[in-house]
């Protein structure tokens, strides 16, 4: 009974379902309903051309849905790698490794400070006078380890 009503609508039912699913994607974005909607539209177009039974159309929709979702996930995943100079989130010290700075305060007993933009960083290394150039070699917690440039 339901199958007969659905068969009467044929290809248009699939196309309308596809448009509704794409509309749902606009209301609840997540890039999932879009692929199901495209699969439904493709099913409707194939149903219009081939005159599929409702069982064949439902099976085709299921297969196209799985394929469209997998293809969509592949197409929308990030393909870019972060730049070597990009600052890692919450790890600003890592972006300072290899850079040369001037000591703000002298390094005495292995500890001193450098100025980076508007911040002051604690540094450790061999004793040096204020104004000396130092290169950041690694980060240990919130402390920068420095050496000769």
């Amino acid at each position: 009974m339901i199958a007969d009503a659905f068969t009467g609508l044929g290809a248009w039912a699939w196309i309308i379902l596809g448009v509704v699913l794409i509309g749902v994607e606009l209301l609840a974005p997540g890039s999932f309903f879009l692929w199901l909607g495209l699969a439904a539209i493709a099913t409707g177009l194939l149903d219009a051309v081939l005159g599929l039974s409702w069982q064949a159309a439902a099976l085709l929709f299921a297969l196209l849905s799985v394929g469209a979702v997998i293809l969509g996930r592949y197409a929308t995943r990030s393909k870019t790698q972060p730049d070597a100079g990009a600052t890692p989130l919450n790890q600003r010290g890592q972006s300072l490794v290899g850079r040369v700075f001037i000591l703000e305060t002298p390094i005495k007993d292995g500890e001193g400070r450098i100025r980076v933009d508007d911040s002051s960083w604690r540094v450790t290394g061999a004793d040096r006078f204020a104004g000396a150039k130092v290169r950041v070699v690694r980060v240990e917690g919130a402390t920068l380890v420095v050496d000769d440039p």
Side-chain angles (χ1 to χ4, degrees):
M1 179 187 261
I2 294 175
D4 293 334
F6 192 68
T7 304
L9 295 175
W12 284 108
W14 289 108
I15 293 172
I16 291 169
L17 176 64
V19 170
V20 167
L21 287 170
I22 291 172
V24 168
E25 179 69 29
L26 293 174
L27 296 174
S31 190
F32 182 76
F33 288 111
L34 170 68
W35 307 113
L36 296 179
L38 293 175
I41 291 172
T43 301
L45 294 175
L46 288 171
D47 188 10
V49 171
L50 302 175
L52 302 172
S53 67
W54 72 269
Q55 297 95 337
L59 181 61
L60 179 64
F61 173 69
L63 293 174
L64 287 175
S65 293
V66 170
V69 168
I70 291 170
L71 184 65
R73 299 283 269 185
Y74 178 76
T76 59
R77 74 176 182 195
S78 176
K79 295 177 181 84
T80 59
Q81 296 294 327
D83 296 342
T87 303
L89 184 61
N90 296 328
Q91 296 181 4
R92 183 172 177 222
Q94 293 298 330
S95 68
L96 302 176
V97 173
R99 292 181 56 190
V100 176
F101 298 97
I102 296 175
L103 283 173
E104 182 179 34
T105 63
I107 298 178
K108 291 183 183 176
D109 299 324
E111 292 184 14
R113 297 197 81 71
I114 63 170
R115 173 135 327 256
V116 178
D117 299 325
D118 61 348
S119 305
S120 181
W121 286 76
R122 180 176 175 261
V123 296
T124 60
D127 289 353
R128 289 186 180 79
F129 58 92
K133 290 184 177 182
V134 292
R135 179 182 311 273
V136 178
V137 292
R138 70 178 179 277
V139 180
E140 292 179 354
T143 302
L144 303 174
V145 179
V146 295
D147 200 359
D148 289 327

